[in-house]
Amino acid sequence: MKKYKVGIIGATGMVGQRFITLMENHPWFDLTLLAASPRSAGKTYEEALGGRWSMTTPIPEDVKKMVVLNASEDIEKIASMVDFVFCAVDMKKDEIRALEEAYAKAECPVISNNSAHRHTDDVPMIVPEINPEHAEIIEAQKKRLGTKRGFVAVKSNCSLQSYVPALHPLMKYGIKNVLACTYQAISGAGKTFETWPEMVDNLIPYIGGEEEKSEVEPLKIWGKIEGDKIVDATTPNITTQCLRVPVSNGHTAAVFVSFDKKPTIDEIKADWANFAGVPQELELPSAPKQFLHYFEEDNRPQAKLDRDSEGGMAVSIGRLREDKQYDYKFVCLSHNTLRGAAGGAVLMAELLAAKGYLD
């Protein structure tokens, strides 16, 4: 595999920082430039951060002195320097849509962690193990944009990446109804306990926009390409509640599910154990060898113990049992800034590279 030159747009935020850690020693991707808001532009990365580095590992030495470019004003320059960019900016949605399309029209593919384009019907929203075929819509998008290689591809919301992967192998039984209550880490808000002391010994029963995303986005992931757009699936019926909890990293979901054709517990466990997708088949660098891990212990999965499973790219499941109102209930966990955010975007970029979309 050739080495691809990569830029990070929105490099100073928490997801941007996570992208930086994932680019260090990546076998396919070479971090070439960083870009952020006008207030950071022209400064070295270390200066632009101003002590706001939130990762547990130190800033890579070669990154500290990189001069940050202006994400909005240096688009043509950035596009000429890289093969593609990761985008994780903190802006209004309409501004993000315009920015990402501007990069695409400058013939620079955009792998986005933002939500702005998740409902654009010719923008693929890919969980690589679940719907890699949605990449095929990129040709229709490029036709709309008038580009030869520029496009936008997005990853889904971080919270649903804990429970949608666990549901996916069970779709063959006809999933009817899903109730998912998510318990979401503070890093999902770009915070640490140092910057958000109000979250210590606290729980907030509301995360703006999160429940709507969690109920709608899975239907696009399970949708089908029809002509020049992705048409959402109409089932299953999903309802969610999303709570912010005092956990640094790791989103947990309590899931209740009913089926048209109820499988046995042993069948469900076997489906989880045997499930693998294209990333595993292609042995992509960031792909977990075992995507879904099931724990027999009653007290697992736990965020502190299990969020870093397989480099934070696996999904952990436990407590599968029958339910009085639904057919079954179980608990899921995924690392929200790895599998749920930057890591999921890196895996998507690896998939697109392997399929030739970034050439």
Side-chain angles (χ1 to χ4, degrees):
M1 179 63 68
K2 68 175 248 189
K3 274 269 193 176
Y4 293 85
K5 294 179 180 177
V6 179
I8 298 173
I9 312 300
T12 56
M14 185 170 284
V15 176
Q17 293 176 29
R18 180 65 78 183
F19 274 125
I20 287 171
T21 67
L22 295 175
M23 290 300 96
E24 192 173 17
N25 303 316
H26 192 284
W28 295 3
F29 301 151
D30 181 23
L31 181 57
T32 302
L33 63 84
L34 305 173
S37 65
R39 65 179 176 273
S40 297
K43 300 176 182 176
T44 67
Y45 185 65
E46 193 172 29
E47 291 170 343
L49 274 182
R52 291 181 290 114
W53 181 254
S54 301
M55 302 293 105
T56 55
T57 55
I59 308 172
E61 285 299 321
D62 58 336
V63 173
K64 285 182 180 179
K65 303 305 178 189
M66 291 178 74
V67 176
V68 178
L69 298 177
N70 188 315
S72 302
E73 295 181 5
D74 295 334
I75 294 173
E76 294 291 338
K77 179 180 179 181
I78 291 167
S80 71
M81 295 171 66
V82 297
D83 294 307
F84 72 95
V85 295
F86 291 112
C87 188
V89 293
D90 183 13
M91 300 164 63
K92 294 176 181 176
K93 281 192 179 183
D94 57 341
E95 294 173 346
I96 295 172
R97 280 193 290 269
L99 182 73
E100 291 180 344
E101 287 206 355
Y103 276 94
K105 288 177 179 177
E107 300 294 0
C108 180
V110 178
I111 311 299
S112 176
N113 188 72
N114 301 301
S115 65
H117 268 299
R118 288 182 191 156
H119 298 295
T120 304
D121 57 19
D122 62 5
V123 171
M125 180 168 64
I126 297 173
V127 179
E129 286 88 351
I130 296 177
N131 62 333
E133 71 282 359
H134 280 197
E136 296 168 14
I137 199 67
I138 286 171
E139 294 308 317
Q141 185 194 147
K142 288 195 292 189
K143 197 174 292 183
R144 172 175 65 84
L145 295 175
T147 59
K148 292 180 179 178
R149 63 181 301 272
F151 64 87
V152 180
V154 299
K155 54 154 290 300
S156 62
N157 188 37
C158 53
S159 65
L160 61 87
Q161 298 201 46
S162 58
Y163 60 88
V164 167
L167 293 171
H168 184 67
L170 311 180
M171 292 288 280
K172 61 187 177 183
Y173 302 114
I175 296 177
K176 292 191 297 185
N177 295 305
V178 176
L179 165 63
C181 295
T182 60
Y183 305 88
Q184 300 184 205
I186 62 173
S187 56
K191 305 285 190 179
T192 64
F193 287 118
E194 289 72 28
T195 60
W196 201 6
E198 296 86 355
M199 273 308 300
V200 176
D201 190 32
N202 196 16
L203 180 153
I204 298 175
Y206 173 73
I207 306 171
E210 202 75 3
E211 288 158 8
E212 295 85 346
K213 295 174 190 174
S214 299
E215 293 170 357
V216 173
E217 289 183 18
L219 299 177
K220 181 172 182 177
I221 293 168
W222 285 320
K224 295 283 188 291
I225 295 175
E226 295 182 10
D228 59 359
K229 61 185 178 180
I230 297 168
V231 177
D232 291 359
T234 56
T235 58
N237 182 39
I238 304 171
T239 186
T240 65
Q241 284 225 103
C242 301
L243 295 78
R244 188 74 70 192
V245 294
V247 171
S248 59
N249 291 295
H251 288 354
T252 299
V255 184
F256 302 77
V257 58
S258 58
F259 299 92
D260 289 323
K261 180 187 173 187
K262 183 180 177 181
T264 67
I265 284 179
D266 286 342
E267 285 175 326
I268 293 174
K269 289 181 180 178
D271 287 331
W272 285 337
N274 295 327
F275 180 68
V278 172
Q280 286 71 39
E281 294 166 14
L282 296 177
E283 298 182 346
L284 299 178
S286 299
K289 288 183 171 57
Q290 179 69 38
F291 182 29
L292 305 177
H293 290 245
Y294 185 78
F295 289 91
E296 294 291 349
E297 298 93 330
D298 287 338
N299 63 347
R300 303 284 285 278
Q302 293 181 29
K304 204 167 188 178
L305 297 179
D306 303 313
R307 61 192 169 205
D308 292 317
S309 178
E310 299 220 34
M313 292 298 289
V315 173
S316 298
I317 313 169
R319 301 205 69 211
L320 173 65
R321 60 220 191 274
E322 293 200 29
D323 183 67
K324 293 177 181 177
Q325 295 183 17
Y326 290 74
D327 287 330
Y328 291 107
K329 53 191 171 187
F330 54 87
V331 174
C332 300
L333 167 74
S334 65
H335 195 303
N336 55 294
T337 68
L338 286 167
R339 167 56 72 167
V346 171
L347 184 61
M348 177 169 55
E350 292 168 0
L351 174 71
L352 294 173
K355 296 292 187 181
Y357 289 97
L358 300 180
D359 293 334

